[in-house]
Amino acid sequence: GCMLERTLKNLGEKHIEDLVNLPVMHDPNKLAAMNILSEVTSSVFIGLPHMFLPLICKQVDLSISYGNTAESAFSYATFGAILCRITNDIEKGYQFGKLAIALMKKMGAPEMEAKVYHVVSTYINHLKEPIDRTLELSMTGYQSAMETGDFEFGGYNMYTYNKHSLLSGRGLKTTQKEMSDFGAVIKRMKQETAYHFNEIYHQAAMNLMGKSSDPTLLSGDAYDEHEMLPIHRQANDHLAIIYYGFCKLMLCTLFGRNAQALEYSDLVEKESISLPGTPMAYSLYHYFDSLARLSEWGDCDEMKRDAHMKRVMENQEKLKFWADHAPSNYLQKYHLVEAEICRALGRHDEAII
């Protein structure tokens, strides 16, 4: 919190969009620092999320004080993602995302495109624009990565494209085929982390299509939870565990295993504590958590009902906030939960409205 405030204070009177006009950085030591910090950004995000904030604030501070580099575009985008998550300042976060894209284009830095587009589409723009638009950004990021040889972020752009395809409600048949095709490309590029992310969602899509013996078990042709969960834990891969927990929560809720769903909701909540960004899985976990609690309502005693309703109301407050900024992605989900609340409380006339 303090670090964020200090970095924002460093802006002084400058508007966010004006940072694109900062002079170019020339100090060789500062350039080397920016390069090194930028290189470790994704590893720190996944494995050491508590170190992510100081890492990014340092890069933004260096850019404001000593001028922009190509890497500044990546750090502005990640700083925007942090603002969306930690301070809930979606407007400011979105402005930093736009700044990142503008700077990258101004500096003629194609090697930054895959990184910037990945961060903007995965952690910022689904909170502000219709989810379909993030698909274009991820695909552009992937194509750029193939041209510049940035296979790591090529993989990340691909899995986000697939994940957002699934979560946007696109046809399952097309989405599952793309997940399979793109998954093979990610595997060929030897991008293990992105491959794991992709295959978690790929297996979830297969389960939704009825291509698994148990629709709530993430075990099949794409992914085996019994084998993979210990690997994610061993690798300290918080994001893979969040994605796994989210897909389990979603499947258990959709297939009526509500008590089980809430166990996975707890897992997502626990793993998300130090998460410095807001992937769509994090915002939607609040939605599925509410649906599971309200589906379980009829089987609960009064004490449990009170606890469930308190949590549902907290979730609704967050969903409403996201719906105010990105209604096309979140408003219908907010209204669906409102209708479920009316149903649980026996106010059926209101539920229909």
Side-chain angles (χ1 to χ4, degrees):
C2 293
M3 257 175 286
L4 262 183
E5 283 165 32
R6 199 160 58 240
T7 298
L8 287 168
K9 211 172 173 183
N10 280 351
L11 281 172
E13 298 298 307
K14 297 181 192 79
H15 294 292
I16 293 167
E17 63 271 23
D18 294 339
L19 296 178
V20 77
N21 298 317
L22 287 173
V24 173
M25 186 184 288
H26 291 296
D27 184 316
N29 293 328
K30 302 295 184 287
L31 284 165
M34 284 293 288
N35 194 271
I36 293 162
L37 294 170
S38 183
E39 281 298 313
V40 300
T41 295
S42 58
S43 310
V44 171
F45 181 85
I46 291 164
L48 296 164
H50 60 286
M51 291 300 297
F52 192 71
L53 180 61
L55 182 83
I56 299 306
C57 286
K58 182 66 181 167
Q59 290 174 72
V60 173
D61 289 341
L62 282 169
S63 300
I64 293 169
S65 302
Y66 298 97
N68 284 326
T69 69
E71 286 84 5
S72 301
F74 184 32
S75 55
Y76 289 144
T78 43
F79 189 71
I82 288 170
L83 289 174
C84 289
R85 170 79 169 106
I86 294 177
T87 67
N88 284 322
D89 196 336
I90 290 171
E91 295 304 324
K92 211 169 260 182
Y94 184 61
Q95 284 177 4
F96 268 100
K98 289 209 291 192
L99 163 69
I101 292 170
L103 178 63
M104 174 187 85
K105 288 178 175 172
K106 182 182 176 182
M107 295 201 76
E111 73 280 7
M112 285 296 137
E113 279 183 17
K115 293 178 168 68
V116 168
Y117 285 137
H118 170 65
V119 174
V120 171
S121 62
T122 309
Y123 301 104
I124 298 175
N125 280 20
H126 69 87
L127 298 167
K128 190 70 184 157
E129 296 180 3
I131 190 69
D132 291 358
R133 288 195 206 156
T134 69
L135 300 180
E136 294 162 34
L137 281 185
S138 295
M139 190 49 75
T140 306
Y142 160 67
Q143 287 161 347
S144 176
M146 293 302 94
E147 288 163 17
T148 59
D150 185 355
F151 297 137
E152 180 189 6
F153 277 86
Y156 290 150
N157 277 288
M158 266 190 174
Y159 100 79
T160 289
Y161 176 89
N162 287 330
K163 172 182 68 167
H164 284 183
S165 290
L166 178 66
L167 298 179
S168 68
R170 281 174 93 215
L172 273 173
K173 197 175 174 187
T174 308
T175 297
Q176 192 264 320
K177 180 168 186 336
E178 287 183 333
M179 286 174 156
S180 179
D181 294 346
F182 286 159
V185 175
I186 299 170
K187 193 175 186 180
R188 265 203 311 277
M189 296 191 302
K190 298 185 167 54
Q191 296 306 311
E192 206 172 79
T193 303
Y195 181 68
H196 292 162
F197 294 165
N198 189 74
E199 296 309 289
I200 292 167
Y201 285 102
H202 184 189
Q203 189 60 52
M206 291 175 85
N207 285 23
L208 290 168
M209 293 173 77
K211 295 184 175 184
S212 60
S213 53
D214 177 344
T216 64
L217 196 64
L218 280 174
S219 292
D221 291 344
Y223 182 86
D224 180 359
E225 63 178 74
H226 301 301
E227 181 194 338
M228 294 309 301
L229 196 56
I231 290 172
H232 302 325
R233 292 198 188 285
Q234 179 72 34
N236 207 24
D237 189 341
H238 296 279
L239 203 49
I241 298 167
I242 287 167
Y243 290 156
Y244 161 78
F246 168 73
C247 286
K248 291 285 284 185
L249 163 65
M250 175 176 71
L251 293 168
C252 288
T253 303
L254 293 173
F255 290 103
R257 300 192 191 166
N258 301 306
Q260 215 183 333
L262 294 175
E263 288 174 26
Y264 291 106
S265 178
D266 289 344
L267 174 67
V268 174
E269 183 181 28
K270 182 169 140 278
E271 291 292 331
S272 299
I273 287 169
S274 56
L275 183 71
T278 311
M280 200 169 191
Y282 177 75
S283 35
L284 289 185
Y285 117 81
H286 296 82
Y287 166 65
F288 285 108
D289 177 85
S290 290
L291 292 182
R293 289 176 194 279
L294 292 165
S295 295
E296 206 187 35
W297 187 263
D299 305 323
C300 297
D301 60 31
E302 200 171 334
M303 197 171 156
K304 199 166 186 185
R305 281 183 176 188
D306 285 348
H308 276 344
M309 191 52 79
K310 182 174 183 290
R311 180 62 182 269
V312 168
M313 290 306 182
E314 287 168 4
N315 288 341
Q316 279 298 81
E317 199 179 314
K318 288 176 181 168
L319 267 183
K320 180 72 170 69
F321 172 71
W322 289 317
D324 287 344
H325 291 277
S328 58
N329 301 334
Y330 296 105
L331 189 59
Q332 73 281 32
K333 294 173 173 63
Y334 171 81
H335 284 313
L336 183 62
V337 175
E338 286 292 298
E340 281 292 291
I341 292 168
C342 292
R343 181 196 57 77
L345 297 175
R347 304 202 300 253
H348 296 291
D349 293 349
E350 288 179 56
I352 295 163
I353 295 164

